[in-house]
Amino acid sequence: KAGVTQTPRYLIKTRGQQVTLSCSPISGHRSVSWYQQTPGQGLQFLFEYFSETQRNKGNFPGRFSGRQFSNSRSEMNVSTLELGDSALYLCASSPDSGLYGYTFGSGTRLTVV
Amino acid sequence: AQSVTQPDIHITVSEGASLELRCNYSYGATPYLFWYVQSPGQGLQLLLKYFSGDTLVQGIKGFEAEFKRSQSSFNLRKPSVHWSDAAEYFCAVGSSGTYKYIFGTGTRLKVLA
């Protein structure tokens, strides 16, 4: 069965621009989470969606937003990009709450110049 | 507040040697504990998980971990390391109702031939 698919794999954007990242979860998985990974801060939780509802949000500014569609696919958006937003953005999916383990995608590497 | 500590940033072992990666957590109730592995440029792969029952859990790739409530630890072990085990290892804790993981800062494993 197909894994978690994230597109694009690599992205280069200019400061001030906005970006949308996409995540297709494993078929049948309804919970999708997003994490930001940087060398300085490590892995940090962005948000989690289940059946199109955001159930939890991490400590990130309002420039970071997300949504989930009825087919469980999810997108995250970052507006007014800053250099510090350069990171690997990881999406993970789970059948429900993730307490039995999330399956992660390979990530989208965002570079802001 | 929940937290996860991985005291070793880097570990180097010889191929065939045994391995133990340390993880300490802080959480009031019984945590849901995980070990993930990340190869360069890739996402995270779940090695094993613990949420109840037998405190010694077996995972993929010959890894095991032992939950010790008295020490708030969940150390990862492997009896004989292979060169392909070189990667970064992350310990994570989750809790019911939060729908997120708290990750440790990771331990980078180097394997000498």
Side-chain angles (χ1 to χ4, degrees):
Chain A
K1 105 183 175 177
V4 178
T5 303
Q6 292 188 246
T7 56
R9 285 297 311 274
Y10 302 92
L11 206 49
I12 300 175
K13 289 287 189 178
T14 304
R15 270 182 303 174
Q17 287 186 312
Q18 68 102 26
V19 67
T20 299
L21 311 182
S22 179
C23 173
S24 293
I26 289 174
S27 178
H29 284 192
R30 296 165 67 190
S31 170
V32 174
S33 291
W34 289 88
Y35 288 81
Q36 181 196 64
Q37 185 176 27
T38 60
Q41 299 298 317
L43 283 151
Q44 293 190 288
F45 171 75
L46 281 158
F47 22 66
E48 190 266 0
Y49 289 89
F50 182 85
S51 293
E52 302 178 71
T53 299
Q54 186 183 87
R55 296 194 294 190
N56 200 356
K57 187 179 191 306
N59 189 25
F60 279 82
R63 301 185 296 106
F64 291 80
S65 63
R67 60 177 176 169
Q68 187 181 34
F69 302 95
S70 58
N71 62 358
S72 292
R73 192 177 70 85
S74 178
E75 289 181 346
M76 66 163 283
N77 183 279
V78 188
S79 62
T80 318
L81 284 165
E82 300 177 359
L83 295 179
D85 297 332
S86 295
L88 181 66
Y89 290 89
L90 292 164
C91 169
S93 76
S94 166
D96 43 40
S97 66
L99 288 179
Y100 302 102
Y102 274 108
T103 302
F104 282 80
S106 297
T108 293
R109 170 74 64 187
L110 172 64
T111 303
V112 182
V113 297
Chain B
Q2 292 176 311
S3 66
V4 177
T5 302
Q6 293 181 248
D8 304 304
I9 299 174
H10 296 280
I11 282 187
T12 301
V13 299
S14 298
E15 191 170 20
S18 64
L19 172 70
E20 182 168 28
L21 303 182
R22 296 182 290 164
C23 173
N24 292 96
Y25 67 90
S26 172
Y27 183 63
T30 299
Y32 292 72
L33 293 161
F34 308 88
W35 274 100
Y36 281 86
V37 61
Q38 185 178 36
S39 298
Q42 298 299 312
L44 303 172
Q45 181 182 22
L46 179 65
L47 286 175
L48 46 77
K49 60 197 176 211
Y50 171 80
F51 48 92
S52 67
D54 193 345
T55 57
L56 184 64
V57 293
Q58 302 296 322
I60 63 171
K61 305 186 179 188
F63 286 93
E64 67 177 28
E66 186 171 13
F67 171 64
K68 292 186 177 180
R69 184 188 300 276
S70 62
Q71 298 176 21
S72 296
S73 69
F74 188 57
N75 294 348
L76 182 71
R77 301 194 294 245
K78 186 169 186 179
S80 177
V81 169
H82 187 263
W83 64 266
S84 60
D85 293 324
E88 191 156 22
Y89 292 78
F90 293 92
C91 181
V93 62
S95 60
S96 179
T98 66
Y99 312 113
K100 71 176 185 180
Y101 292 170
I102 304 294
F103 282 90
T105 50
T107 298
R108 189 171 298 276
L109 173 66
K110 182 177 178 180
V111 180
L112 301 176

